[in-house]
Amino acid sequence: RMADYYMSYSAEIKGLTEEESKWAHSRIKEINDAGDEDAVCDLGEVEVVDGVLWFHGQESGDPEAVAEFARDFLKRFRPRDSFALEYAYTCSRPRLDGFGGGAVLVTAEGIECVETAAWVAERRREHEIRRGGADAKRASRQHTPGSEGRTE
């Protein structure tokens, strides 16, 4: 049977001023009006409700697209603040590749990301090296993409 894969998240920036709310509405409209369906889908759902900028998704989205939006906001309005987003990968069936997640920390200066799959792979590699197992030499030469996170 086919399986459905999902990515879910929910995070917010509270206490928006009128100017911040106007900017967020304008930016959301700009992205929607650009006609780039990928950009709209990548951002998932983003709303401004009662002074709260709310990012959420139940099926899909791109944490980096959300992070870039949040970074633009922080750079413009709150350069000393931070924004955090945790997300989960889930699956409708118990597939080995169907579960995981990650986290993103955003400041005006940069974006840092970590994915659970990369973290687990790196911890396993370190374990193999420490125990000196048969795979230790190979593990010491391997690089796990994404294990170091991303900083801009």
Side-chain angles (χ1 to χ4, degrees):
R1 263 179 74 180
M2 295 290 292
D4 295 315
Y5 293 83
Y6 306 101
M7 191 191 72
S8 302
Y9 59 94
S10 183
E12 62 188 10
I13 299 175
K14 296 179 180 179
L16 269 59
T17 65
E18 187 174 328
E19 180 184 5
E20 292 169 338
S21 292
K22 284 181 182 178
W23 178 88
H25 278 293
S26 174
R27 186 75 180 104
I28 293 164
K29 183 176 179 349
E30 179 183 311
I31 291 167
N32 288 330
D33 290 350
D36 182 352
E37 287 184 37
D38 289 338
V40 172
C41 289
D42 287 350
L43 198 52
E45 297 292 325
V46 59
E47 303 175 53
V48 179
V49 181
D50 297 327
V52 175
L53 179 55
W54 182 32
F55 303 93
H56 57 99
Q58 293 182 1
E59 294 183 7
S60 64
D62 179 355
E64 289 189 31
V66 173
E68 290 294 342
F69 190 106
R71 184 177 181 199
D72 289 347
F73 175 88
L74 293 175
K75 283 171 102 172
R76 185 176 185 104
F77 298 107
R78 302 181 186 185
R80 299 180 73 182
D81 287 358
S82 64
F83 170 79
L85 173 70
E86 295 179 69
Y87 54 93
Y89 295 124
T90 60
C91 186
S92 62
R93 308 214 16 99
R95 304 278 194 226
L96 293 176
D97 68 344
F99 301 90
V104 179
L105 179 67
V106 181
T107 66
E109 292 84 35
I111 299 170
E112 294 182 58
C113 306
V114 63
E115 293 252 345
T116 58
W119 183 87
V120 168
E122 183 65 19
R123 299 296 84 73
R124 280 187 163 162
R125 185 185 71 77
E126 291 170 357
H127 174 73
E128 284 298 315
I129 291 169
R130 276 193 310 274
R131 77 177 182 103
D135 295 328
K137 287 184 183 177
R138 188 182 80 222
S140 69
R141 292 185 300 247
Q142 286 181 336
H143 171 71
T144 305
S147 63
E148 71 285 342
R150 176 173 77 96
T151 303
E152 289 184 354

